[in-house]
Amino acid sequence: MTQLVLALAGAMFVGVSAQAQDAAALKKSMVGQWELSSTDRSKTCVVTLKPDNSPQGLKLDLEPDCAKALPFTKDIVAWSIKGLDIVRLQTPAGEPVIDLTEVESGIFEGIRSGEGVYILQNLAAARSLSKTMDSMIGDWSIVRGNGRAICGLTLTNNEASPDNFQLFLKPRCDALVANFKPTQWRLERGELLMFSASGETWHFEADDNAQWRRMPDMADPLILLRQ
């Protein structure tokens, strides 16, 4: 019986120790510059997370325009790690202004009730994404796998909704695209998403910067090509 108790205690100690190591590793990896933004990156704030302790939590710096872009950031004075994988941006009392959980390597998501989803990602990666989005603006063709063009369209940076941008189809599109009739688009987690007014979504993944393939892939694929 004593051996069983000791074994259970040892297992619990190992589990707690592993959790502490995970939290310590996350804390270490978070030190640096990050971009806190709306999902479409139309509203952004640069946050510098520091390893130094303060009475309110771990120290951080917010760029001067943060409160203008994201008003809730005015309440953020510190940060901390909660549990194994939550990055908390918090008030002086340690209350969460927003809790963010890693959804992909280096990308964290958090929800504010009544406002929506916000993204925290490495600043350099975020700026690289911005350049990618800028490169998407302009005229494209949707073609079949045999190279036959079935529709032309224009991606714009005109805001259509809090997360999406306007998309315009050109005349004489194939019925497949015309019936889908996309009106908005955005980049999200490496995908190009097109949305119809009815709420249908098409997903495209990049083969390279000038070619995107609709997913899931098909025997007769649809490919988005730069014109």
Side-chain angles (χ1 to χ4, degrees), residues 111-116 118:
I111 299 175
R112 279 183 54 82
S113 179
E115 295 183 28
Y118 292 90

Side-chain angles (χ1 to χ4, degrees), residues 39-120:
T39 53
D40 65 346
R41 297 187 69 253
S42 62
K43 300 174 182 178
T44 66
C45 163
V46 175
V47 185
T48 302
L49 302 181
K50 299 181 176 182
D52 311 302
N53 288 305
S54 74
Q56 293 81 26
L58 295 165
K59 293 182 180 179
L60 58 74
D61 287 332
L62 300 172
E63 68 177 354
D65 289 340
C66 281
K68 181 178 179 181
L70 300 171
F72 67 85
T73 60
K74 70 180 184 301
D75 297 322
I76 297 171
V77 300
W79 70 287
S80 62
I81 301 298
K82 297 298 179 183
L84 298 180
D85 59 356
I86 295 174
V87 176
R88 173 169 292 179
L89 302 181
Q90 61 192 48
T91 68
E95 295 298 320
V97 177
I98 186 168
D99 281 341
L100 301 122
T101 304
E102 192 167 26
V103 292
E104 293 181 28
S105 179
I107 300 178
F108 296 75
E109 282 190 3
I111 299 175
R112 279 183 54 82
S113 179
E115 295 183 28
V117 177
Y118 292 90
I119 307 295
L120 184 73

Side-chain angles (χ1 to χ4, degrees), residues 70-225:
L70 300 171
F72 67 85
T73 60
K74 70 180 184 301
D75 297 322
I76 297 171
V77 300
W79 70 287
S80 62
I81 301 298
K82 297 298 179 183
L84 298 180
D85 59 356
I86 295 174
V87 176
R88 173 169 292 179
L89 302 181
Q90 61 192 48
T91 68
E95 295 298 320
V97 177
I98 186 168
D99 281 341
L100 301 122
T101 304
E102 192 167 26
V103 292
E104 293 181 28
S105 179
I107 300 178
F108 296 75
E109 282 190 3
I111 299 175
R112 279 183 54 82
S113 179
E115 295 183 28
V117 177
Y118 292 90
I119 307 295
L120 184 73
Q121 60 181 320
N122 177 272
L123 180 61
R127 287 179 173 170
S128 176
L129 175 62
S130 178
K131 292 178 182 177
T132 300
M133 182 172 171
D134 289 344
S135 73
M136 298 297 297
I137 305 304
D139 294 327
W140 295 76
S141 288
I142 296 178
V143 303
R144 290 289 193 182
N146 60 10
R148 181 175 66 89
I150 63 171
C151 187
L153 58 87
T154 302
L155 302 180
T156 78
N157 58 0
N158 302 325
E159 190 171 346
S161 69
D163 295 325
N164 302 325
F165 300 91
Q166 287 183 312
L167 178 160
F168 297 102
L169 294 183
K170 296 185 178 181
R172 297 184 295 279
C173 283
D174 180 90
L176 175 66
V177 185
N179 291 337
F180 170 47
K181 198 175 182 181
T183 60
Q184 300 183 27
W185 75 283
R186 72 167 180 259
L187 291 177
E188 182 176 298
R189 300 181 193 170
E191 290 188 326
L192 187 152
L193 306 181
M194 294 184 186
F195 306 94
S196 71
S198 64
E200 186 182 358
T201 305
W202 281 7
H203 297 249
F204 291 82
E205 291 185 0
D207 287 344
D208 56 50
N209 285 338
Q211 179 170 305
W212 297 68
R213 184 181 293 259
R214 188 184 172 198
M215 294 296 170
D217 207 357
M218 300 172 286
D220 186 14
L222 288 182
I223 300 170
L224 188 66
L225 291 177

